[in-house]
Amino acid sequence: MTNLLESGEITVEGRLVDASNATLFVTITDGDDSTKAIYKPVAGERPLWDFPDGNLASRERAAYIIDHALGFNHVPKTILRDGPFGIGMVQQWIDIDEEIDLENFFRMNDPRLREVALFDAIINNTDRKIGHLIPEKGGHLYICDHGVTFHTEDKLRTVLWQWAGERITTAEFETLESLRRYLESRDANELHDLLTQEEISAMNVRIEKLISTSLFPEPNPEWPHIPWPPF
């Protein structure tokens, strides 16, 4: 599937009109093989006052790398490649289980959501909305939309505050330690092409704080901690 995402021919089928940036639903084909995906060209990114222009796609890729390093595998396969409208983020499409009511699901004390909450604390996600949760029929939880992440300032904004101030488990502590070792290894070299050194350093500080306090973060009183609209 990775090779298909990377080298297949992209055909635009439509646009997700609710997205603030250009978000295109595409089919990627190579011979008889095909798959559905989301394509977000850099040229379609809306400028933001607190993030540099033209690098939201890079942050999407960086979020995938961190999720993969954590072993959570909640972010669908995400790459950077050329497309009909230039370089952009291409992410595997996931079909949601429409029988799950997200309005109730996001409030649950679910271990999959807890992993997402820890992941968001690490990447400093400024926009974790309910609609970014994609539970599939097989029971796995996927998540999407990670363009506004890795800021150097504390801007965590999420609907998943169920575990604020709770103790980090031994397994979570070991996962954080493993991630810290990964970031010191050559395997993490790609992150330096996607993020600034200051952003990587800030992520390391967040990881160290999670380890030293052994607590899930609590809302920043100086920053709106729930995205709007929440869905």
Side-chain angles (χ1 to χ4, degrees), residues 40-83:
K40 296 181 180 180
V42 170
E45 293 180 4
R46 183 184 65 179
L48 299 171
W49 69 270
D50 53 347
F51 283 87
D53 293 347
N55 71 357
L56 302 189
S58 295
R59 296 170 193 276
E60 295 255 21
R61 170 66 180 172
Y64 168 78
I65 291 173
I66 295 300
D67 172 68
H68 190 71
L70 287 164
F72 292 164
N73 299 316
H74 290 306
V75 180
K77 181 68 180 182
T78 305
I79 65 169
L80 297 176
R81 60 162 290 183
D82 200 9

Side-chain angles (χ1 to χ4, degrees), residues 2 6 29 108 156 177 207 217 220:
T2 299
E6 291 177 345
T29 56
M108 296 174 63
L156 181 60
E177 289 280 15
I207 294 169
N220 181 352

Side-chain angles (χ1 to χ4, degrees), residues 101-214:
D101 183 356
L102 292 181
E103 290 280 4
N104 292 323
F105 176 67
F106 91 94
R107 307 172 191 271
M108 296 174 63
N109 185 7
D110 187 296
R112 296 169 295 174
L113 293 175
R114 184 178 171 115
E115 287 180 345
V116 175
L118 184 61
F119 170 66
D120 284 341
I122 293 167
I123 67 171
N124 198 17
N125 193 347
T126 74
D127 193 38
R128 171 63 68 211
K129 296 181 178 179
I130 301 169
H132 298 166
L133 307 173
I134 314 172
E136 66 167 2
K137 285 186 179 293
H140 191 75
L141 174 63
Y142 287 98
I143 52 179
C144 66
D145 284 353
H146 300 105
V148 284
T149 50
F150 298 103
H151 203 284
T152 56
E153 299 176 15
D154 179 11
K155 294 195 174 190
L156 181 60
R157 186 165 54 187
T158 176
V159 295
L160 302 176
W161 288 110
Q162 295 95 307
W163 303 277
E166 284 198 11
R167 300 289 298 180
I168 287 174
T169 66
T170 300
E172 290 165 342
F173 182 88
E174 292 173 352
T175 297
L176 291 168
E177 289 280 15
S178 177
L179 179 61
R180 181 166 61 177
R181 292 191 296 271
Y182 167 81
L183 291 173
E184 295 173 349
S185 73
R186 293 182 179 180
D187 293 338
N189 283 349
E190 185 184 351
L191 287 173
H192 294 273
D193 297 326
L194 301 170
L195 304 171
T196 67
Q197 185 56 52
E198 291 77 14
E199 289 165 342
I200 293 173
S201 296
M203 176 169 55
N204 277 307
V205 169
R206 291 192 295 271
I207 294 169
E208 291 290 344
K209 184 176 181 180
L210 288 166
I211 291 173
S212 63
T213 64
S214 294

